[in-house]
Amino acid sequence: MVLLHIAWKSFLPARIPFPIVHIDTGHNFQETLDYRDQMAEKYQVQLIVGYVQESIDKGRVKEETGINSSRNWLQSVTLLDTIEKNKFDCAMGGGRRDEEKARAKERFFSHRNEFGEWDPKNQRPELWNIFNGKKNYGEHFRVFPLSNWTEMDIWQYIKAENIEMPCLYFSHSRRVFNRDGVWLAESPYNPMKPAELVEDKKVRFRTIGDITCTGAIESEVNNLDDIIAEVASFRVTERAGRHDDKRTDTAMEDRKKEGYF
């Protein structure tokens, strides 16, 4: 959501009306939803929300159960249904190539077929700033204006443009538990194993997805200058703490092939 806000602010004139599309899994951090609503109100844009719960209720997807259950994979169906319902030709996202190996394969201007599928082996060439926007009926594009940015670029731009950020990105006290070396937030959506213990920690999040799969890092950083200094010291991408990327070696690529952003 934040990267999408930066993409809009960086590349679109303020006078162009465009909708915010959010796929609500029902397992979001409340702070994420608050930020979404504040940005929609601030910029007076249309907010279109697709609900994964509705997809579950309609039998479009089957909810996972168990300790490591997540709705992250399920949201691809809701996203594709939302794109089809609104007849979108293009959906813009804030993904970056340096985040994850599957996203490194993604094009800036990325074609999706009539089923919303992405074929990493059959992508269109990109020659400088020349993009092939030809599509057939029912197909669409995913556009990633921040593809070549780094995490450091993002934070430096946030500081330069004084972009309002949700509190999750800054150090705060939160009840968390450790699973496989990752600090996860205590939540009704995060069932715990018997040996897992909740602790009060000063943490922040480098990336934000569902509360079920987004890992926190221990940090005392609570201002932009200190975040920039901290990012300079990191040697792993911000998605290193995402449980959804660790299910298999090709978890992200498999999701993207089926329509995941």
Side-chain angles (χ1 to χ4, degrees):
M1 188 65 67
V2 175
L3 292 183
L4 195 53
H5 173 199
I6 294 170
W8 290 328
K9 188 174 178 67
S10 303
F11 295 93
L12 290 180
R15 66 180 181 274
I16 297 180
F18 50 89
I20 296 176
V21 178
H22 180 227
I23 304 305
D24 187 345
T25 64
H27 291 173
N28 299 108
F29 289 92
Q30 185 58 47
E31 294 92 334
T32 301
L33 300 179
D34 292 343
Y35 180 83
R36 176 199 69 185
D37 295 340
Q38 291 166 10
M39 290 301 103
E41 176 66 24
K42 179 177 180 179
Y43 292 103
Q44 290 296 292
V45 294
Q46 180 186 10
L47 176 61
I48 298 173
V49 182
Y51 295 95
V52 169
Q53 185 61 54
E54 290 185 1
S55 299
I56 295 172
D57 294 342
K58 293 176 181 178
R60 295 278 291 139
V61 292
K62 183 177 180 181
E63 185 161 23
E64 293 183 347
T65 59
I67 290 291
N68 293 305
S69 61
S70 171
R71 288 186 172 184
N72 196 46
W73 194 294
L74 308 186
Q75 63 184 304
S76 297
V77 171
T78 311
L79 172 61
L80 293 176
D81 287 348
T82 303
I83 289 173
E84 172 63 24
K85 178 181 178 180
N86 291 277
K87 303 302 179 184
F88 291 135
D89 293 317
C90 172
M92 186 171 69
R96 307 190 330 269
R97 291 189 176 113
D98 74 336
E99 288 181 86
E100 201 274 341
K101 58 187 178 182
R103 287 187 169 170
K105 299 178 182 179
E106 190 75 87
R107 290 287 194 265
F108 182 102
F109 203 74
S110 186
H111 175 261
R112 296 297 192 272
N113 67 17
E114 64 270 27
F115 301 107
E117 298 169 332
W118 171 64
D119 183 356
K121 295 182 179 179
N122 186 29
Q123 298 188 79
R124 298 175 178 181
E126 292 186 349
L127 305 175
W128 302 283
N129 290 326
I130 302 174
F131 305 108
N132 183 352
K134 183 178 180 180
K135 73 175 192 66
N136 296 316
Y137 181 79
E139 299 175 342
H140 70 277
F141 288 93
R142 307 282 175 86
V143 177
F144 302 96
L146 307 181
S147 284
N148 294 326
W149 290 37
T150 65
E151 186 181 9
M152 179 64 79
D153 292 332
I154 295 294
W155 283 106
Q156 289 177 333
Y157 186 82
I158 288 169
K159 179 181 178 182
E161 295 294 324
N162 193 29
I163 296 176
E164 181 181 353
M165 299 293 291
C167 60
L168 291 168
Y169 285 100
F170 299 92
S171 178
H172 59 283
S173 295
R174 186 173 292 270
R175 289 172 59 81
V176 295
F177 63 95
N178 195 285
R179 177 172 294 167
D180 301 326
V182 176
W183 291 107
L184 296 173
E186 181 188 38
S187 162
Y189 308 120
N190 274 339
M192 296 172 58
K193 299 175 183 179
E196 293 173 337
L197 301 175
V198 174
E199 303 178 46
D200 286 309
K201 291 280 186 181
K202 292 281 284 186
V203 300
R204 75 176 190 88
F205 296 89
R206 293 175 65 192
T207 179
I208 300 172
D210 272 4
I211 201 168
T212 57
C213 59
T214 302
I217 61 170
E218 294 186 70
S219 177
E220 298 286 338
V221 168
N222 56 17
N223 63 72
L224 291 178
D225 287 330
D226 288 346
I227 285 180
I228 289 171
E230 186 177 70
V231 168
S233 70
F234 290 142
R235 294 296 177 266
V236 295
T237 175
E238 67 263 43
R239 291 194 69 96
R242 290 287 290 267
H243 264 219
D244 48 331
D245 291 347
K246 297 180 179 180
R247 291 192 166 199
T248 67
D249 290 339
T250 60
M252 171 66 85
E253 184 164 326
D254 292 341
R255 292 200 304 272
K256 287 178 72 65
K257 287 178 179 178
E258 295 189 3
Y260 187 81
F261 228 122

